[in-house]
């Protein structure tokens, strides 16, 4: 468990993730503390901008109705209405929730490629990359690591 600095444990909405990191506190979590609450693979992907294996990941072929929240801090990032099967081996979305409300785009020139990395605006978790070969109307394809998101089924 994380030791919350302010000592409050009252849950209000989706702020508390199953990791116990409060969205409001996520900016103050040190890399060492992330290491304690995330699995080695989740840590590598979200905090070290790693990439999980294609196809053999949780949400590539997952199409239930609901939201996809940040695995690290719980803010809403995507939802099932924009998810599509891209065939690339990772979950793909044609748009983020509320037009990048919680997503920040960063130019990424690593690995000899010119790409646009997407990160969680709240806690700086690496999510994946956005490409310009997606379906209409956005024409964009958010290629996201399953490790970086946590599915929350739609309330009936
Ligand atoms: Zn986050």
């Amino acid at each position: 468990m994380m030791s919350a600095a302010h000592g409050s444990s009252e849950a209000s909405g989706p702020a508390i993730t199953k990791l116990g990191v409060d969205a409001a506190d996520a900016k103050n979590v040190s890399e060492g503390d992330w290491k304690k609450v995330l699995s080695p693979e989740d840590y590598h992907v979200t905090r070290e901008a790693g990439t999980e294996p294609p196809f053999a990941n949780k949400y590539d072929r997952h199409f239930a109705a609901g939201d996809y929240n940040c695995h690290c801090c719980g803010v809403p990032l995507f939802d099932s209405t924009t998810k599509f099967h891209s065939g690339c081996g990772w979950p793909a979305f044609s748009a983020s929730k509320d037009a990048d409300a919680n997503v920040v785009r960063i130019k990424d020139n690593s690995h000899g490629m010119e790409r646009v990395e997407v990160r969680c605006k709240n806690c700086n978790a690496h999510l994946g990359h956005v490409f310009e070969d997606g379906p209409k109307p956005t024409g964009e394809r958010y290629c996201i690591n399953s490790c970086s998101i946590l599915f929350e089924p739609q309330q009936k």
Side-chain angles (χ1 to χ4, degrees):
M1 284 297 288
M2 301 289 303
S3 53
H6 53 70
S8 167
S9 61
E10 279 150 52
S12 54
I16 310 289
T17 72
K18 73 174 186 185
L19 296 169
V21 176
D22 190 289
D25 289 339
K27 284 188 181 74
N28 303 319
V29 177
S30 70
E31 294 308 302
D33 280 339
W34 283 125
K35 210 164 219 168
K36 286 179 209 156
V37 296
L38 297 168
S39 74
E41 189 186 21
D42 293 345
Y43 179 85
H44 176 62
V45 170
T46 60
R47 314 313 312 182
E48 298 178 329
T51 301
E52 69 193 8
F55 304 105
N57 58 71
K58 228 177 355 178
Y59 298 131
D60 179 31
R61 287 168 179 274
H62 180 269
F63 291 98
D67 286 330
Y68 292 86
N69 302 326
C70 177
H71 190 157
C72 292
C73 76
V75 298
L77 299 173
F78 301 96
D79 69 51
S80 55
T81 62
T82 59
K83 194 173 188 303
F84 67 101
H85 184 239
S86 69
C88 70
W90 291 277
F93 300 87
S94 58
S96 66
K97 222 167 155 66
D98 300 323
D100 283 357
N102 289 320
V103 171
V104 63
R105 298 172 181 233
I106 299 165
K107 219 185 231 176
D108 175 10
N109 294 317
S110 67
H111 305 291
M113 291 176 275
E114 211 169 277
R115 296 182 295 174
V116 179
E117 181 192 3
V118 282
R119 286 178 176 261
C120 172
K121 204 179 267 184
N122 187 50
C123 77
N124 203 37
H126 170 75
L127 306 174
H129 290 87
V130 60
F131 301 94
E132 291 174 357
D133 57 5
K136 287 176 181 173
T138 61
E140 294 196 312
R141 171 173 60 94
Y142 290 76
C143 183
I144 302 300
N145 288 282
S146 290
C147 284
S148 302
I149 48 180
L150 208 53
F151 178 69
E152 186 181 307
Q154 196 169 61
Q155 306 286 332
K156 289 270 157 65

